[in-house]
Amino acid sequence: MSYQRFAELTEQGESGVKTEEFESLFAPDADLYSPFLVKHVEGKSLTLQFMTEAFSNVGYPKYTHQFYNGTDTAVLLWESQGRVRGHQVQGTMVLTFDENGLIRAAKSYLRPLQVVNMLREYLFASAGAKLSSDYWKASPVGFAGDPSLLTHPTSQGNTVKSES
C-alpha cells in the first residue's frame, strides 16, 4: 500500500522525499491541508513543493503508529526525528487515496501550538513567495486589526464584545 511507502520515504528525509518514487505516490490533483496555511494547496506540483519545504523546516518524521481503514484512508502518527529549539514536534498525517491507490489528499496536524507558530514563521520565510498572501492570512485585516473577530455569542443569545 502506498501509505507504507509514503512513511518509509519520508522517514528517510531528503533522500526519500526528493525522488521520482515519492512523486509517483501522488495523484495529479493531489491537495495538501497544512496547519501552516489557512487555505489548502491544490495540485500535485504545488503540494509536493510545499510538503518538501515543510519537511525541511519541521523535520522528517519517525512514525509511531499507522492505521488504515482498508479502503481509502490512512492515519499516520509521528514524532520529529530532531528537535526545534529543544522541543519535540508531534503530528498526524491523514492520507486519502483515489481509486488508483494514489494520494489524493494529505492533511497534516501538528503540536505543540507554540512550536507550530515558530515553524510557520520559518516556513513563511522560506516558502512565502511561492504562495499568495491569501494562503497565509486568516483575515484580510488580520486579527489584531479586526475587533469584530473578538465577539462571540453567549448562552442567552446576546453578543459579548471583548474589551480591547
Side-chain angles (χ1 to χ4, degrees), residues 3 8 32 45 68 102 121 136 139 154:
Y3 79 92
E8 291 168 356
L32 174 65
S45 177
Y68 182 60
L102 298 175
E121 291 178 28
W136 299 97
S139 73
T154 65

Side-chain angles (χ1 to χ4, degrees), residues 63-108:
Y63 295 96
T64 58
H65 297 84
Q66 300 180 32
F67 306 96
Y68 182 60
N69 74 348
T71 56
D72 65 354
T73 304
V75 177
L76 311 172
L77 307 180
W78 59 269
E79 296 178 346
S80 58
Q81 292 185 34
R83 294 190 170 273
V84 176
R85 292 196 178 170
H87 300 283
Q88 178 88 46
V89 178
Q90 298 167 325
T92 303
M93 179 67 75
V94 178
L95 302 174
T96 305
F97 304 95
D98 68 11
E99 62 279 353
N100 298 313
L102 298 175
I103 297 170
R104 171 64 187 92
K107 295 179 182 178
S108 176

